[in-house]
Amino acid sequence: MHRITINGISTEADQNTTILAAATQMGIHIPTLCHLEGLSPTGACRVCVVEIEGAGHLAAACSTPVRDGMVIRTHSKRVREARTTVVELLLSEHEGDCQTCQRSSDCELRELARELRVLENRYTGEKPMTMIDASTPALYRDSGKCIKCRRCVEVCTGMQHVGALFPQYRGFDTTIGPAFSSSLDLAVCVQCGQCAAVCPVGAIIEQSHIEQVLSALEDPNKQVIVQTAPAIRAALGECFDLPPGTLVTGRMVSALRRLGFDAVFDTNFTADLTIMEEGTELLMRLRDKLLLKLPQVPLPMFTSCSPGWIQFAEYYYPELLANISTCKSPQQMFGAVAKTYYAQKLQIDPKDLVVVSIMPCTAKKYEAAREEMHSSGYRDVDYVLTTRELGDLIHLSGIDFIDLPDDTMDDPLGISTGAADIFANSGGVMEAALRTVYFITTGRSLPARDLHIEPLAGMEGVKTATVLLQDTVDAWKFLEGVQASVAVAHGLGNAAQLMDRITADPDEFLFVEIMSCPGGCIGGGGQPRFTTDAIRTARMAAIFAADEGKTLRESHTNPAVMQLYDEFLGSPLSSKSHHLLHTQYRKKQQS
Amino acid sequence: MAEIQTDCRTSTHAEPCREIDPGSVIPVVDEIITQYRSTRGALIPVLQSVQNLLGYLPKEILTHISRELSIPYSEVAGVVTFYSFFSTTPRGKHIIRVCLGTACYVRGGKEVLQALTRELKIKVGQTTDDHQFSLEIGRCFGACGLAPVVMIDEDVHQRVKPNAIGLLLAAYRDDDDQDRGGSDEKA
């Protein structure tokens, strides 16, 4: 323990504590800009400088550990003046078209300038060159707005192990971006959008589909339907200043109806469908290995819902591509089912059907544009809006979200079970799959309290569990006594760690869930800013509440999914299912 | 180290530097990587050795180094573009580095640079058509007392006067063994 004094108040702090953390514990707010919870401090922005008695120069509070006897001043005149200068210099290199900037309402630089009372800028020199990069389907970069805080570099490299972004060139000419300041489409980028989620200014945002969606809604010749991912309902409220973790499913449906969508459906429906396909696929692989003793059955099987993870594997783990479930993600299954089964039901030409997705994710924009995703004969999903974009669209359309009445999703593609809700959380796809796989093989529900597999919940980076298959039914007798060992990773850095473990011991696990973003989809790159672990935890709790609030909580009990099989698909893994609901992956060349 | 047939060396080689076929030098690059692979901070020594060998750092070689060292290509490029020492294009037989650090700048480094661009008819970062000279900017060679300083290859030239540039270059252009007038100090 170190005894320190901050602003005249004496306290004790652990020796590994930074000045910033110690001050926060004491209720003293030191402004920060580049600082990111859970990642190594870069000290790049110098906004958090403080005065330490006896030290010649100011120190960055985020990266300076406390020492015994330290006397610190966090808001002295010298500190305030230094911070003001730092912010003025940042502003002097920032292309600040604030009134028309997408981040005008939540720009951290603007808020910081206000907090520090920077009321004029003494430095009005040359601005760096502006380069616009709209080369990818998901992300839009504007180098003129970039303030080189390097948060995006930290998440891309430190958290996601992708490393698409790094400072290029030097001094005034520095840009943050891919090698030699090339466009993002030429770099290894999985488009997870975590960079856009942490950017304090408008330098990295999603490619917007708002205008296209508005045009479709206004076109009298189009039927426009919408699907909403499970993670939206636990986060959309934050766009309207509701506390994180407020479940807004009913109000969201109302808002979508008022926006003019012809039908409001649920990606949850195809999440249940995914479980039927993916669960069956897993059981077939287990049969091939354990009963038929076929050589080289690709196990463990990996989930395939997260398009960032799919690209990550295509770049870095091509040797494991056969292990990834061939199931398309629920978003893409929805598009394929909507433009075939639903179009037939409605007796409309699928060319006049527009499928819009609301996703917590930027990579879903990329996924919808993949060439494999045209199995209906058309582009299966036309437009993808992030949670943030839906918030903007609701604001734009003059809808008072807070006071909307609750409404419910439409039949048949709006019916879902609680197992589909938890797709939003890290560990949720695994739990949903195990609920159904356990039922198929034993004829009983998963013997877990509240159907939850506790070790798979929460923010731990890599989580594991085993489920004992007991008293199996006749068709699955070969699984009797099998300890189904499963693993879950979220965040691609954690995924990489798990992949190394699996490469070293391929037999440790049977089934593995990977989600690209920390916390899973609830922490996606398209969710309302700014996401912290506390917010992730609140959203996760809301998702579990949604699950527990449902009467049907296992995918195989979804009556609408069963009806889809009866009327259209036949059975899981049928040839029609294969054509519409499954896909393949291909190795991609790194850089 | 294996012998390599290339005419691209930074300073002392007889032939001017031309573009090389990256595929042909991979084995030698791999030998360099092997030497440093286990060391922390291997990237910069690998880049230096490869540039010393090839005269410049072709992008195909940089992506190869990135993969072999498991360092993102963006980071490799970030290091290469940060240090003015590194070049991704073939450079001339002689590398001229004009110091524009504070002391040299104040004592006329910029005028020296202007004289050089006039004389050589190239801009900073370019190479003359005859592949004799490349012109670069340096950020302090640690010889501030001798400002303004110009380095040509390994020779440090002190208190350079803009109107004496022609004479200075002539010694290199002819490439004979006459005294080039550089001091013995190395940067």
Side-chain angles (χ1 to χ4, degrees):
Chain A
M1 275 296 183
H2 287 324
R3 178 145 288 279
I4 58 168
T5 306
I6 305 185
N7 299 347
I9 305 165
S10 195
T11 189
E12 282 198 330
D14 190 81
Q15 58 182 2
N16 295 320
T17 312
T18 61
I19 295 174
L20 177 64
T24 307
Q25 272 172 13
M26 293 169 69
I28 295 168
H29 169 70
I30 298 175
T32 58
L33 191 58
C34 67
H35 178 72
L36 271 182
E37 171 192 59
L39 289 168
S40 52
T42 56
C45 75
R46 317 310 291 176
V47 166
C48 68
V49 288
V50 294
E51 201 173 355
I52 302 171
E53 217 168 80
H57 46 75
L58 302 176
C62 70
S63 54
T64 308
V66 295
R67 279 197 316 275
D68 201 37
M70 242 183 196
V71 178
I72 300 153
R73 279 182 287 276
T74 66
H75 286 76
S76 63
K77 182 167 187 285
R78 185 177 165 211
V79 167
R80 287 199 319 271
E81 283 174 358
R83 282 189 195 136
T84 302
T85 305
V86 165
V87 172
E88 282 178 299
L89 287 168
L90 287 172
L91 289 169
S92 77
E93 292 195 11
H94 172 67
E95 206 59 72
D97 51 354
C98 298
Q99 295 88 342
T100 54
C101 179
Q102 208 225 27
R103 295 296 302 275
S104 58
S105 64
D106 63 351
C107 173
E108 293 179 54
L109 181 62
R110 186 187 57 73
E111 284 166 16
L112 191 62
R114 181 73 194 93
E115 177 187 335
L116 301 180
R117 284 183 51 79
V118 178
L119 299 173
E120 58 169 340
N121 193 353
R122 290 170 292 165
Y123 310 107
T124 51
E126 195 186 345
K127 301 261 183 190
M129 195 172 58
T130 291
M131 286 184 293
I132 301 293
D133 178 7
S135 64
T136 60
L139 298 167
Y140 181 95
R141 301 188 309 128
D142 180 345
S143 70
K145 290 179 182 165
C146 176
I147 53 171
K148 285 99 181 170
C149 72
R150 307 188 186 197
R151 275 186 184 178
C152 56
V153 177
E154 281 303 301
V155 295
C156 191
T157 306
M159 188 170 88
Q160 297 293 62
H161 287 215
V162 171
L165 306 171
F166 201 81
Q168 307 291 317
Y169 303 97
R170 186 173 188 162
F172 185 74
D173 298 322
T174 304
T175 61
I176 308 291
F180 302 102
S181 301
S182 74
S183 54
L184 209 49
D185 61 332
L186 300 176
V188 175
C189 165
V190 303
Q191 309 198 33
C192 68
Q194 286 299 316
C195 53
V198 298
C199 181
V201 295
I204 312 182
I205 57 176
E206 62 269 61
Q207 293 266 19
S208 176
H209 288 177
I210 288 180
E211 288 306 319
Q212 293 91 318
V213 170
L214 283 171
S215 300
L217 287 170
E218 282 153 14
D219 185 340
N221 300 316
K222 298 288 184 195
Q223 281 270 331
V224 188
I225 63 172
V226 64
Q227 57 166 324
T228 56
I232 313 300
R233 61 210 70 185
L236 179 64
E238 293 165 41
C239 298
F240 306 94
D241 297 327
L242 290 170
T246 309
L247 208 53
V248 295
T249 320
R251 284 183 271 191
M252 174 182 76
V253 176
S254 278
L256 291 167
R257 224 178 276 295
R258 290 193 186 192
L259 285 169
F261 287 102
D262 293 295
V264 180
F265 290 139
D266 208 340
T267 315
N268 278 16
F269 170 82
T270 36
D272 280 330
L273 184 62
T274 299
I275 289 300
M276 294 310 294
E277 293 288 327
E278 200 167 270
T280 311
E281 185 185 5
L282 174 67
L283 286 170
M284 288 301 132
R285 291 193 192 199
L286 290 176
R287 185 201 61 182
D288 289 351
K289 187 182 170 87
L290 300 173
L291 185 65
L292 306 179
K293 313 274 187 209
L294 297 182
Q296 292 170 342
V297 179
L299 285 167
M301 190 173 90
F302 300 137
T303 58
S304 57
C305 303
S306 177
W309 149 242
I310 295 296
Q311 276 218 90
F312 191 69
E314 288 179 322
Y315 279 121
Y316 294 108
Y317 299 97
E319 69 283 2
L320 293 175
L321 289 180
N323 293 58
I324 301 178
S325 161
T326 59
C327 287
K328 287 179 183 171
S329 72
Q331 158 171 279
Q332 294 306 135
M333 283 197 186
F334 183 95
V337 167
K339 291 201 177 179
T340 54
Y341 172 70
Y342 180 69
Q344 281 172 32
K345 259 189 179 303
L346 240 60
Q347 296 184 320
I348 59 165
D349 190 334
K351 80 171 168 46
D352 296 324
L353 185 65
V354 177
V355 174
V356 176
S357 311
I358 316 295
M359 292 286 144
C361 181
T362 52
K364 288 284 169 190
K365 290 176 187 266
Y366 148 81
E367 183 188 55
R370 275 181 80 122
E371 61 186 51
E372 299 91 349
M373 302 302 167
H374 291 70
S375 45
S376 64
Y378 301 89
R379 181 170 152 145
D380 296 330
V381 172
D382 295 279
Y383 307 115
V384 179
L385 300 178
T386 61
T387 316
R388 296 189 292 260
E389 284 179 281
L390 177 60
D392 283 358
L393 188 56
I394 292 170
H395 282 297
L396 173 68
S397 307
I399 296 166
D400 180 2
F401 187 83
I402 299 293
D403 292 329
L404 283 177
D406 284 345
D407 198 348
T408 50
M409 307 262 187
D410 292 314
D411 290 350
L413 309 185
I415 294 173
S416 65
T417 73
D421 284 303
I422 57 174
F423 264 59
N425 289 351
S426 165
V429 175
M430 179 59 71
E431 184 174 304
L434 288 175
R435 287 181 191 176
T436 287
V437 166
Y438 194 90
F439 182 83
I440 291 175
T441 55
T442 67
R444 287 169 284 121
S445 284
L446 189 67
R449 200 166 68 90
D450 239 354
L451 291 178
H452 294 316
I453 301 170
E454 258 173 52
L456 300 183
M459 285 301 295
E460 189 78 33
V462 176
K463 298 171 277 192
T464 61
T466 50
V467 173
L468 177 64
L469 298 175
Q470 259 179 321
D471 300 326
T472 47
V473 296
D474 284 348
W476 303 99
K477 267 291 172 243
F478 68 92
L479 289 173
E480 182 62 35
V482 166
Q483 285 278 7
S485 177
V486 300
V488 165
H490 55 116
L492 292 170
N494 293 323
Q497 196 191 321
L498 183 56
M499 288 307 116
D500 291 344
R501 184 165 158 185
I502 287 165
T503 308
D505 180 7
D507 297 324
E508 189 179 357
F509 303 111
L510 290 177
F511 193 25
V512 173
E513 175 206 287
I514 306 284
M515 294 190 189
S516 302
C517 296
C521 307
I522 50 97
Q527 292 282 55
R529 296 182 184 91
F530 187 88
T531 303
T532 60
D533 272 354
I535 291 175
R536 288 184 185 99
T537 305
R539 290 176 189 162
M540 280 177 162
I543 290 294
F544 280 126
D547 165 33
E548 286 157 16
K550 293 243 172 90
T551 319
L552 301 177
R553 296 185 56 206
E554 295 155 300
S555 296
H556 54 273
T557 61
N558 184 327
V561 168
M562 293 308 123
Q563 192 186 355
L564 170 68
Y565 279 116
D566 284 346
E567 292 178 0
F568 188 67
L569 292 172
S571 61
L573 306 187
S574 70
S575 64
K576 205 166 210 169
S577 290
H578 262 296
H579 171 62
L580 291 175
L581 310 180
H582 292 255
T583 185
Q584 56 202 5
Y585 315 106
R586 52 174 192 269
K587 179 182 175 169
K588 287 185 178 169
Q589 183 67 43
Q590 293 170 36
S591 61
Chain B
M1 172 160 312
E3 278 301 308
I4 177 168
Q5 293 300 312
T6 168
D7 51 11
C8 294
R9 308 263 169 148
T10 40
S11 54
T12 52
H13 203 272
E15 289 298 310
C17 185
R18 310 282 169 161
E19 276 196 39
I20 55 156
D21 168 25
S24 69
V25 297
I26 292 277
V28 202
V29 171
D30 282 343
E31 275 190 42
I32 294 173
I33 292 171
T34 308
Q35 279 178 46
Y36 292 102
R37 194 187 293 279
S38 54
T39 8
R40 231 176 103 84
L43 180 60
I44 287 178
V46 165
L47 292 172
Q48 281 176 320
S49 301
V50 172
Q51 178 161 298
N52 282 341
L53 190 71
L54 308 180
Y56 74 110
L57 295 165
K59 289 188 180 174
E60 294 86 345
I61 296 294
L62 293 178
T63 56
H64 180 75
I65 292 173
S66 149
R67 279 194 294 269
E68 288 299 313
L69 292 179
S70 297
I71 296 173
Y73 183 44
S74 66
E75 189 174 336
V76 173
V79 169
V80 169
T81 54
F82 184 86
Y83 293 107
S84 59
F85 174 81
F86 293 124
S87 172
T88 54
T89 49
R91 293 188 299 175
K93 185 169 142 194
H94 302 292
I95 313 294
I96 305 171
R97 293 195 180 90
V98 182
C99 181
L100 288 185
T102 309
C104 290
Y105 188 91
V106 169
R107 292 184 57 113
K110 204 174 171 191
E111 286 71 30
V112 172
L113 180 64
Q114 280 168 353
L116 277 163
T117 55
R118 267 199 310 273
E119 176 74 21
L120 296 168
K121 301 185 180 62
I122 54 172
K123 293 179 191 157
V124 171
Q126 293 180 335
T127 298
T128 54
D129 287 342
D130 61 4
H131 291 270
Q132 285 286 310
F133 295 104
S134 292
L135 183 58
E136 294 175 1
I137 288 174
R139 300 284 178 198
C140 194
F141 306 134
C144 308
L146 311 174
V149 168
V150 171
M151 269 187 84
I152 303 182
D153 302 333
E154 299 293 307
D155 310 325
V156 177
H157 297 274
Q158 53 174 296
R159 298 197 179 92
V160 178
K161 305 230 166 4
N163 56 14
I165 286 298
L167 208 60
L168 188 62
L169 294 181
Y172 291 87
R173 196 170 266 139
D174 298 332
D175 201 24
D176 52 24
D177 290 333
Q178 64 179 270
D179 181 19
R180 286 162 175 171
S183 71
D184 288 329
E185 280 187 63
K186 300 289 180 203

